[in-house]
Amino acid sequence: MKDDTKKPAFDRNVRRSTRLGADYDGEGTNFALWSHHATRVELCLYDETGTHETARLDLPDMEGGIWHGYLPDVGPGQAYGYRVHGPFAPEEGHRFNPNKLLLDPYAMEVVGDLVWDDALFGYPVGGSDLDMDERDSAPFMPKAVVVDPNFDWDEDRALRNPWVDTVIYEAHVRGLTMRHPDVPETARGTFEGLGHPSVIEHLKSLGVTTVELLPIHGFVKDRHLADQGLTNYWGYNSLSYFAPHRPYLASGHLREVKEAIRRFHKAGLEVILDVVYNHTAEGNEMGPTLSFRGIDNASYYLLSPEDPRHGFDVTGTGNTLNVSNPMVLRMVLDSLRYWVEALHVDGFRFDLASTLAREETGFEREGAFFAAIRQDPVLRGVKLIAEPWDIGEGGYQVGAFPWPFREWNDKFRDDLRAFWRRDEGMKSAVSERLLGSPVQFDHDHRPATSSINFLAAHDGFTLMDTVSYNEKHNEANGEGGRDGHDNNLSDNCGIEGETDDEQVIATRKRRLRSMLTSLFLSQGVPMLLAGDEFGQTQGGNNNAYNQDNEITWLDWERADAGQIRFTAALTQLRTELGLGHERFAGHDEGPAVRWWHPEGRPAADEDWNDEILIAELEDPERRIMVILNAGDRMDVSLPKGDWQLRLDTARGDPAAHETVRGRIDVDWQSALVLTRAPGERATG
């Protein structure tokens, strides 16, 4: 029930339309919301719990579609929401409904959880979306909270680690720490737990430089998942682009994120956020009215040109954010700058980034979104990574994004998985991946660090599952095994799933080490999925997006300590050998590259169907021989001279420091690294 006994009053002499959201200046708060088609906007104030409405006021001024007003003496901790008036005309794309309380798109903190109820929908559930639902949604909605921007960063600043030195670790805030024995139970699954010394120590020991976090923006648990007792674990269902997901905050407050990032930076670790600006949690026209749909559906979303009642969906989620609208693009850029300037994050990975480049003519690499970021004085200097695809026509765009973007390279994942499971004809493709995929990325002055190389990511099998399962096992997802892709390029090494068979275990371990070696020895930027450094399994689930449980939480108690040490040795070797070149090998100023046959002669055209790849890289510092043998044991003749064997994955202790000349025994499914000082061109 509303309580207007102490109704605050706007000071129209202080109001400002230049900053959107709730902007606290130390004396009061300016509220500003953009809606081009609205006719009236109500600001609803709530008590600190977000359950009791204390005042409802019309924002008094509007210019350029920005509705705004300044409230003196209103500050941090104030909970609020909006009710936006305008036409309810779904066939014209308008879905205004003032019965629905709406979350501020610029909310920096929220209080309360979304509770699924039919009142959250702008139309009567079970009926037509052309009819307006008049129930009040406020009791079921989270509320925005005014925050204090002040924080003692203690001279913290962005790290700007060079791309050539970067090793990325993709992790989930919750999954990383929920089963970590050294993290206090009250901190597990939160930013407090993420910043725990034991977590940071592990990352540092691995040689990781950059942690890429799955979405932390406030997101929604889909109703159909909630009805099944499941959840949106991954978080690719954003509702708030400025506020962190509240369950990730042990304290409930934004400063916890800042404190964790400050700890990471003190340890020399960068933090990259996986961001979802291509769609929102509101779904298609049959979805709920939580924020953007009720604020201005026709402006915030792409709508069908033929029938604006329906959205134009190229994301597979029901809606597509309309970043071609200047004010929607401004919101995205404001969000990105906010996370860099106010929270000191070091970069972003853009989910379904092809969607952000879509204009009337389709994918446009020189379009407004990329142009805006590339000229932005704040954003152009941070790490920018594209997931270079969406499900729309022409959406697969690996290699097509402009500098300074880097790109996830699924070709690396697929080709290396196929090579190590002994698929025929993969040698030529793997040679490309070893050199940074120049066919895709060596153009338009792009560096060799353009390719983000990975063997596994959150979406799909873990690396351990890649060598443990032939088929996906997604029964827990509640979709009858229909979800998740079937082309996993995996091989169970003889037995499906976990086993006590020592031979199978040994085979899997060797293949894992050889696959990891090929990842860290390739040009480009290596990305490791959290847990792959110690054998994490998801039981064959390759689409664990709705599993917030022991399927996805890292099992630290069962971690393979030997594999952790091996992974750390690989990152150290990569750094020592300087494999993070900016220039492509064999091109421009990059390392020279030569391909060898096991007989010790240069590889001929007819040799590219073998199961063994032998590459020699030479720069002014050293010569490096990389041998990747997906097949059976064989003898290899080395180019003349003394070579130092540095790594052999067939050994119990893969690290090696011994001199080899003439011939070397290369065991089955193994990877070797040898080095020598630079000199005259080697001959067989």
Side-chain angles (χ1 to χ4, degrees), residues 584-629:
F584 288 90
H587 296 262
D588 301 326
E589 301 173 3
V593 59
R594 291 181 284 275
W595 306 101
W596 294 95
H597 187 273
E599 295 177 354
R601 58 176 172 80
D605 291 344
E606 61 270 18
D607 299 327
W608 286 91
N609 287 321
D610 299 340
E611 290 185 304
I612 186 168
L613 179 70
I614 306 174
E616 182 187 0
L617 304 173
E618 181 176 4
D619 62 24
E621 300 295 325
R622 63 186 61 82
R623 287 162 59 183
I624 305 167
M625 180 77 69
V626 176
I627 304 175
L628 305 179
N629 181 25

Side-chain angles (χ1 to χ4, degrees), residues 18-55:
T18 53
R19 290 175 64 92
L20 290 161
D23 185 26
Y24 174 65
D25 63 7
E27 297 181 0
T29 300
N30 191 81
F31 294 88
L33 180 77
W34 177 76
S35 176
H36 181 70
H37 296 101
T39 57
R40 175 187 171 200
V41 174
E42 291 179 289
L43 171 66
C44 302
L45 302 180
Y46 286 82
D47 66 2
E48 62 181 11
T49 67
T51 57
H52 178 62
E53 183 177 315
T54 60

Side-chain angles (χ1 to χ4, degrees), residues 135-153:
R135 285 172 291 185
D136 184 8
S137 68
F140 312 104
M141 278 291 296
K143 280 72 175 183
V145 178
V146 178
V147 301
D148 185 349
N150 294 317
F151 181 77
D152 181 10
W153 280 102

